[in-house]
């Protein structure tokens, strides 16, 4: 069960930035910092793709409303990445079954993804864009810091990740009213666009 803390931590981190997790683990393994990372994550092509996607996320994640669209598109990708990384880590160490590790990684990633996505919805109710940049940067630094710490002390890193996950879920509960406000605004915009499109259609339509 020695790999379980790393699986949990990588799952939590994958729910926030899956590409950063793949990139960091691959670099850690390729540089010999740890022998827990399977060779498949250390491949050059995997590292290049992860780096490009990480840069894309680093930009999209800091733009209001675009970050929410990006989160919605990654509702499946992040938990899947957490499950795959967890299974690969377990397969490398042999101390935990692949199915159990995949379940832990995927479930943890899904929970942290909901915290991230919900928090962003609440933040997007604010008209200024700076809070998105601050929160996104803090998330990236947090993922890098805790995942790096997990290489040296996986148990302590897992405890920190668990505390952050629980705290995030609690914050999400208190921010629920702002999240609902964001969803109402988005629904209102869609309705306004639909009505505007109908008006344009009736205006440009030839007389019958």
């Amino acid at each position: 069960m020695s790999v379980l803390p790393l699986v949990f931590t990588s799952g939590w981190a994958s729910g926030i930035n899956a590409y950063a997790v793949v990139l960091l683990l691959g670099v850690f393994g390729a540089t010999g910092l740890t022998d827990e990372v399977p060779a498949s994550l250390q491949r050059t092509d995997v590292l290049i793709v992860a780096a490009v996607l990480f840069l894309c996320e680093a930009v999209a994640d800091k733009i209001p409303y675009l970050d929410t669209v990006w989160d919605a598109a990654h509702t499946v990708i992040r938990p899947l990445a957490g499950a795959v990384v967890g299974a690969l880590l377990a397969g490398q160490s042999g101390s935990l079954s692949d199915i159990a590790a995949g379940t832990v990684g995927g479930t943890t990633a899904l929970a942290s993804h909901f915290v991230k996505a919900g928090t962003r919805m609440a933040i997007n109710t604010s008209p200024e864009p700076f809070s998105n940049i601050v929160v996104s940067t803090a998330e990236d630094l947090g993922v890098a810091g805790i995942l790096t710490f997990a290489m040296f002390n996986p148990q302590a890193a897992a405890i920190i990740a668990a505390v952050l996950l629980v705290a995030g879920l609690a914050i999400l509960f208190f921010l629920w009213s702002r999240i609902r406000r964001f969803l109402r605004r988005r629904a209102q915009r869609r309705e306004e666009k639909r009505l505007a499109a109908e008006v344009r259609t009736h205006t440009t339509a030839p007389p019958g």
Side-chain angles (χ1 to χ4, degrees):
M1 298 293 287
S2 61
V3 77
L4 183 58
L6 182 57
V7 169
F8 180 87
T9 303
S10 64
W12 168 82
S14 295
I16 299 173
N17 193 326
Y19 306 124
V21 172
V22 174
L23 180 60
L24 285 172
L25 288 178
V27 170
F28 292 156
T31 56
L33 184 63
T34 177
D35 57 0
E36 296 284 353
V37 180
S40 57
L41 293 179
Q42 302 177 37
R43 289 170 40 182
T44 302
D45 56 339
V46 172
L47 293 177
I48 291 174
V49 171
V52 171
L53 292 174
F54 169 74
L55 292 176
C56 292
E57 174 145 341
V59 174
D61 204 42
K62 294 174 177 60
I63 301 175
Y65 295 102
L66 179 59
D67 59 351
T68 296
V69 174
W70 186 268
D71 286 338
H74 284 73
T75 301
V76 175
I77 296 175
R78 287 171 183 160
L80 182 60
V84 171
V85 169
L88 288 174
L89 291 173
Q92 177 74 5
S93 70
S95 60
L96 183 68
S97 74
D98 295 359
I99 296 177
T103 301
V104 172
T107 302
T108 307
L110 182 62
S112 63
H113 165 75
F114 280 140
V115 171
K116 174 187 172 72
T119 303
R120 289 309 181 83
M121 287 183 185
I123 291 174
N124 281 333
T125 60
S126 174
E128 46 77 29
F130 302 107
S131 54
N132 297 74
I133 298 174
V134 171
V135 172
S136 176
T137 302
E139 289 172 348
D140 292 341
L141 293 176
V143 166
I146 294 177
L147 201 57
T148 301
F149 182 52
M151 295 297 102
F152 304 97
N153 198 328
Q155 290 80 11
I159 292 173
I160 295 173
V163 170
L164 291 174
L165 181 59
V166 172
L169 291 171
I171 292 172
L172 194 63
F173 175 78
F174 287 109
L175 291 177
W176 178 241
S177 61
R178 297 191 67 176
I179 295 172
R180 286 188 297 177
R181 191 188 315 164
F182 171 85
L183 294 174
R184 285 197 300 268
R185 286 182 180 178
R186 188 170 64 174
Q188 184 178 1
R189 287 196 195 93
R190 288 178 177 174
E191 182 65 16
E192 289 173 352
K193 289 181 180 179
R194 186 185 66 81
L195 293 175
E198 289 182 357
V199 170
R200 285 195 300 270
T201 301
H202 290 306
T203 301
T204 57

